[in-house]
Amino acid sequence: MTIDNALPNPIQQRAEIDGAGARRLAVIHGATDSADPVSLSPIRVRSLRELRQMPEAETSWVVYRFLATTAITDLSAYIKAGKSTLSAQLITAICHGTEFLEEFPTDKGAVVLLTEEPPATLLEAFADAGLTDTDPLHVMLWAENDMV
C-alpha cells in the first residue's frame, strides 16, 4: 500500500519548504490539479479561556491515556532510553488487541508507523515484541519518502 492509495487525492500529499527553509508537511483539501497554487490555512492559537469555552469533545482512545484516534502522537527521549522497545510493545498490543503494559486496554486494529529508524533496529524491536509478518503493521520510512 502506498500513501497515494491511502489518500483520496494524491495532490493532498505535499512536502513544502518555506522561505526560511523550515519543513512542513501539508495536507491540502480541495486541490484538483497539480498546477493549483498551494495555500495553507493560518495557524490558530487559543488562550486558556478560549479552550475552556469550547464544547467538550469525548476523546476516543486506541490505547487509553496513551494514543487517541484524533491525535498525532510523538514519542521522544534520549538515545537508548527505550523508545523503540516501548513503541514495538505498543504496536504489538494494538495489532493483537491485547492490553498495553498489562494494564491499558487497546482497540485492535492496523497500525501505520512513520519512522526515521533504520529497518534493522526496527525489525529487532518488532521481533522482541512478538510482531510477525501477518500482523497489520505498515511502515513508512522517512528517508525513503523525500521528506528530508
Side-chain angles (χ1 to χ4, degrees), residues 104-137:
F104 302 96
T106 64
D107 284 344
K108 184 176 183 175
V111 174
V112 177
L113 175 67
L114 169 61
T115 184
E116 293 180 296
E117 192 157 353
T121 55
L122 278 176
L123 291 170
E124 183 179 346
F126 293 158
D128 289 347
L131 283 166
T132 67
D133 291 348
T134 59
D135 286 317
L137 170 63

Side-chain angles (χ1 to χ4, degrees), residues 59-70:
T59 301
S60 175
W61 297 100
V62 176
V63 179
Y64 184 69
R65 307 279 302 185
F66 279 92
L67 190 63
T69 57
T70 58

Side-chain angles (χ1 to χ4, degrees), residues 33-60:
D33 188 318
S34 60
D36 286 351
V38 175
S39 63
L40 299 175
S41 299
I43 295 172
R44 177 176 286 168
V45 179
R46 297 184 183 272
S47 68
L48 287 177
R49 177 177 290 135
E50 290 172 316
L51 289 176
R52 287 188 183 95
Q53 292 172 351
M54 294 177 73
E56 268 196 53
E58 179 93 14
T59 301
S60 175

Side-chain angles (χ1 to χ4, degrees), residues 3 17 29 53 57 75 103:
I3 193 72
I17 310 291
H29 296 283
Q53 292 172 351
L75 178 62
E103 183 176 341

